[in-house]
Amino acid sequence: MDTQMSAGIPRPAPAPGAAHNACNPAYAPAYDPAYDPLVSPPGQGQDYAPTYWVATAGAPPEDDGPINGDIDADVVIVGSGFTGLSAALTLARDFGVKAVVLEANRAVWGCTSRNGGQGQNASGRLYRSQWIARWGLDTAKRLDAEIREGFEYWKSLVAQVDCDAQPGGHLYTAHRQKKMAFLENEARVMRETFGYDVKMLTRAELRERYVDDREAVGAMHEPDGVGVHPLKLAYGYLRQARALGVRIHPSSPVLGWRMENGMVRLQTPAGTVRARRVAFATGGYTAQGVNRLLDNRIMPVLSNSMVTRVLSPAEREAAGLKSTVFITDTRTLRFYYRLLPDGRMQIGSRSALRGADAENPRHLALLREGLARKFPALRGVDVAYSWWGWVDVSHDMMPRVTQPDPAQQVYYAFGYGGNGVAFSAHAGRRLAQRMMGKDGIAWNLPIYDTPLPGHLFAPFRRIGQGLLYRWYYLRDELL
């Protein structure tokens, strides 16, 4: 495979055939590794990040090319990731509405092509016990039913696409002994209150059945969980949507919008798009100043990921890798990891505070050392792919799918906090239903009936984030 060197590791060449795709001209702007949504303007037409997913997904599906002139549309969706494509698919399939999807760069360029591919029965960063503490048992049970329905819906979409699905659930490993009590309590809540078949595993049981993770002192196993190749899945969404008449316009960033005679007027570099209804689904790649309804309401956080070369059977045996079930540990700044279908190891965790520092080698070193601590037999193994991406974390750690101003036909879905691979499909579906005024759905849940909260200290969030990272490290590793 031809490679390009960056930050000391090989970077993949563009996917075969990609240059023939309408959204990837032969001289597409290069990928900007320092992009930072708090300080960078929206990009335009940038190439993909050099992820394992991009290198192995095959040629991107055809699209409809950039916006070139003024157009009118019934519904416009800003963002062509999981959420935007799911919303467009629902609009076309269930309502006969052929939406226009605007994307700043390449189709599925942002979060969707950079995540860990871990599909969980979850959303946001709060656990079910925390739902009960925050909203009470009744609301927590209704929220669980809603997210569980969403997980089943996502699995139905996964079944329609060849996306290297790895079923088997999710392992949540205790990286220190004191974390076992937390996992045991959460397992009890999930079993007794919500009816899940969750099991606790001792260190010996974890090693015998799944992995010999040397840091883990035990684990909780959830049966609901499917690992996927996220870009293959997104390409499947895209093909289905376009087959139903949805138009996907890459290299068409929204630079701003305003209301005009009851319509939403969206400005792009090469034309104006007027729409009756608009949904924003740009995740962690939402530039400041583009949408006043979203400014300072998302905390964009960088996550790093790396994928090793293919491991030999002997190396996998030495590392105790017996399962492809995906795993996260109990650190606040958690590691997420799994054995991929082709025998490579993937691991991800926190990264830089700012885009300007994203290429610093110390962030890749954190992942290398994390993998080596968990699996000493893999210390020094070659890294084939390394990348980073922005995660949309809300200030209260839960997502929103809502219409923030009833006087405007403008909607959004944000704030998955790293748990959006599966929930984004349901969020997109609910987003479409809200836009079309569908009744009969219990919209009076916290994720639907309030906007994303702002924060008094949002302008200083990076300072606070740095302090929090230091505290989390002390709490996770030393206290």
Side-chain angles (χ1 to χ4, degrees), residues 142 278 298 342 345 395 397-398 430 432 448:
R142 291 191 298 112
V278 173
I298 287 293
D342 63 359
M345 196 67 186
H395 291 298
M397 303 297 176
M398 287 297 285
R430 290 299 195 226
Y448 297 136

Short mmCIF file of all heavy atoms in Angstrom, two decimals, residues 142 278 298 342 345 395 397-398 430 432 448:
data_model
loop_
_atom_site.label_atom_id
_atom_site.label_comp_id
_atom_site.label_asym_id
_atom_site.label_seq_id
_atom_site.Cartn_x
_atom_site.Cartn_y
_atom_site.Cartn_z
N ARG A 142 -38.61 5.63 31.11
CA ARG A 142 -39.08 6.03 29.78
C ARG A 142 -37.91 6.36 28.86
O ARG A 142 -37.94 6.06 27.66
CB ARG A 142 -40.03 7.22 29.89
CG ARG A 142 -41.36 6.86 30.54
CD ARG A 142 -42.40 7.96 30.40
NE ARG A 142 -41.99 9.19 31.05
CZ ARG A 142 -41.69 10.32 30.41
NH1 ARG A 142 -41.74 10.37 29.09
NH2 ARG A 142 -41.32 11.39 31.09
N VAL A 278 -35.03 23.45 8.41
CA VAL A 278 -33.60 23.16 8.40
C VAL A 278 -33.23 22.41 9.67
O VAL A 278 -33.70 22.75 10.77
CB VAL A 278 -32.76 24.46 8.30
CG1 VAL A 278 -31.27 24.15 8.45
CG2 VAL A 278 -33.01 25.15 6.97
N ILE A 298 -21.82 23.48 22.93
CA ILE A 298 -21.14 22.20 22.76
C ILE A 298 -19.70 22.36 23.23
O ILE A 298 -19.06 23.38 22.96
CB ILE A 298 -21.17 21.74 21.29
CG1 ILE A 298 -22.57 21.28 20.90
CG2 ILE A 298 -20.17 20.62 21.04
CD1 ILE A 298 -23.02 20.02 21.59
N ASP A 342 -9.95 -8.06 10.80
CA ASP A 342 -8.79 -8.49 10.02
C ASP A 342 -7.56 -8.77 10.89
O ASP A 342 -6.45 -8.95 10.38
CB ASP A 342 -8.44 -7.45 8.95
CG ASP A 342 -8.04 -6.09 9.52
OD1 ASP A 342 -8.04 -5.95 10.77
OD2 ASP A 342 -7.73 -5.18 8.73
N MET A 345 -5.37 -4.52 16.05
CA MET A 345 -5.86 -4.02 17.32
C MET A 345 -6.11 -2.52 17.19
O MET A 345 -5.26 -1.78 16.68
CB MET A 345 -4.84 -4.29 18.44
CG MET A 345 -5.41 -4.16 19.83
SD MET A 345 -6.63 -5.45 20.21
CE MET A 345 -7.20 -4.88 21.82
N HIS A 395 -22.87 20.27 27.77
CA HIS A 395 -22.45 20.71 29.10
C HIS A 395 -23.11 19.90 30.21
O HIS A 395 -22.59 19.85 31.34
CB HIS A 395 -22.75 22.20 29.28
CG HIS A 395 -21.88 23.09 28.44
ND1 HIS A 395 -20.51 23.14 28.58
CD2 HIS A 395 -22.18 23.94 27.42
CE1 HIS A 395 -20.01 24.00 27.70
NE2 HIS A 395 -21.00 24.48 26.99
N MET A 397 -23.90 16.60 29.65
CA MET A 397 -23.51 15.22 29.33
C MET A 397 -24.61 14.39 28.67
O MET A 397 -24.48 13.17 28.58
CB MET A 397 -22.99 14.48 30.58
CG MET A 397 -21.83 15.16 31.25
SD MET A 397 -20.39 15.23 30.15
CE MET A 397 -19.23 16.18 31.16
N MET A 398 -25.69 15.02 28.20
CA MET A 398 -26.75 14.29 27.51
C MET A 398 -27.09 14.97 26.19
O MET A 398 -26.95 16.19 26.06
CB MET A 398 -27.99 14.20 28.39
CG MET A 398 -27.85 13.24 29.56
SD MET A 398 -27.59 11.51 29.07
CE MET A 398 -29.24 11.04 28.51
N ARG A 430 -35.76 10.60 14.79
CA ARG A 430 -36.59 11.49 15.59
C ARG A 430 -36.51 12.93 15.08
O ARG A 430 -37.50 13.67 15.11
CB ARG A 430 -36.17 11.42 17.05
CG ARG A 430 -36.50 10.11 17.74
CD ARG A 430 -37.99 9.86 17.76
NE ARG A 430 -38.36 8.81 18.70
CZ ARG A 430 -39.19 7.83 18.42
NH1 ARG A 430 -39.74 7.74 17.20
NH2 ARG A 430 -39.52 6.92 19.33
N ALA A 432 -36.15 13.88 11.98
CA ALA A 432 -37.04 13.95 10.82
C ALA A 432 -38.50 13.99 11.25
O ALA A 432 -39.31 14.76 10.69
CB ALA A 432 -36.78 12.75 9.91
N TYR A 448 -35.47 15.68 24.51
CA TYR A 448 -36.30 16.24 23.45
C TYR A 448 -36.93 17.59 23.81
O TYR A 448 -37.19 18.40 22.92
CB TYR A 448 -37.43 15.28 23.09
CG TYR A 448 -36.98 13.95 22.52
CD1 TYR A 448 -37.56 12.76 22.95
CD2 TYR A 448 -35.97 13.89 21.55
CE1 TYR A 448 -37.15 11.54 22.44
CE2 TYR A 448 -35.56 12.66 21.04
CZ TYR A 448 -36.15 11.50 21.49
OH TYR A 448 -35.75 10.29 20.98
#
